[in-house]
């Protein structure tokens, strides 16, 4: 569309090199610089085991006993052991006459180690035999290793 003036004559196109000016106000806020905490470079030994419990049966008391057992097998204080995940798993077991559903929990856990040498020592302590001996001393059934200590 072309523009026209009120008299009907075509309007002349004009451009301006000048931009509209906006009034701006800048305020300086007082800022505080804090140093972030040093990153946590703890080395962990991680492992996954299966226990013959449902998620509901693996109560906080049993979890505490589990942590105690893992700490004893690993040769560390219980404060260095952490459960990172608990998953209920249902599997089918076939017998000659029928199929059974079995429920268990897979427990992911990790053990804090000061350095690589300590992690290797902990990993070698956490074999199925020593772990199961420590778990049974805590009144828990033996575990099946799903993922070895690494």
């Amino acid at each position: 569309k072309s523009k026209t003036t009120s008299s009907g004559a075509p309007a002349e196109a004009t451009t301006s090199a000048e931009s509209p000016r906006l009034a701006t106000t800048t305020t300086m806020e007082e800022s505080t610089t804090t140093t972030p905490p040093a990153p946590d470079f703890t080395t962990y030994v991680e492992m996954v085991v299966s226990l013959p419990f449902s998620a509901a049966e693996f109560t906080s008391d049993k979890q505490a006993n589990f942590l105690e057992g893992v700490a004893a097998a690993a040769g560390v204080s219980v404060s260095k052991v952490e459960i990172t995940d608990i998953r209920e798993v249902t599997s089918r077991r076939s017998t000659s006459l029928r199929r059974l559903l079995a429920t268990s929990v897979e427990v992911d856990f990790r053990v804090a180690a000061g350095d690589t040498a300590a992690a290797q020592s902990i990993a070698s302590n956490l074999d199925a035999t020593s772990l199961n001996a420590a778990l049974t001393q805590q009144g828990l059934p033996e575990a099946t290793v799903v993922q070895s200590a690494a």
Side-chain angles (χ1 to χ4, degrees), residues 1-149:
K1 259 183 166 176
S2 63
K3 292 186 178 182
T4 57
T5 61
S6 58
S7 64
E12 192 173 306
T14 59
T15 59
S16 170
E18 209 173 293
S19 309
R21 295 182 186 229
L22 300 175
T24 58
T25 306
T26 304
T27 57
M28 298 295 286
E29 290 184 27
E30 187 176 318
S31 65
T32 307
T33 303
T34 57
T35 305
D40 181 8
F41 290 110
T42 302
T43 301
Y44 292 97
V45 174
E46 297 178 319
M47 190 170 180
V48 180
V49 297
S50 176
L51 292 165
F53 295 116
S54 68
E57 293 169 332
F58 194 50
T59 62
S60 58
D61 288 343
K62 287 182 177 141
Q63 290 175 34
N65 291 345
F66 176 82
L67 293 172
E68 290 283 346
V70 171
V76 299
S77 69
V78 72
S79 64
K80 294 190 177 210
V81 183
E82 173 187 14
I83 294 173
T84 56
D85 193 22
I86 299 170
R87 292 175 306 284
E88 188 169 81
V89 178
T90 303
S91 60
R92 294 185 186 273
R93 292 185 187 168
S94 294
T95 63
S96 59
L97 300 175
R98 60 187 176 156
R99 290 185 192 175
L100 301 174
L101 291 179
T103 301
S104 61
V105 288
E106 283 189 359
V107 182
D108 296 19
F109 64 93
R110 66 185 187 176
V111 180
D115 56 29
T116 304
Q120 289 172 342
S121 174
I122 290 168
S124 69
N125 290 342
L126 282 176
D127 62 22
T129 303
S130 62
L131 178 61
N132 283 325
L135 291 177
T136 55
Q137 285 181 349
Q138 292 295 321
L140 296 173
E142 290 190 351
T144 301
V145 176
V146 176
Q147 177 187 324
S148 296

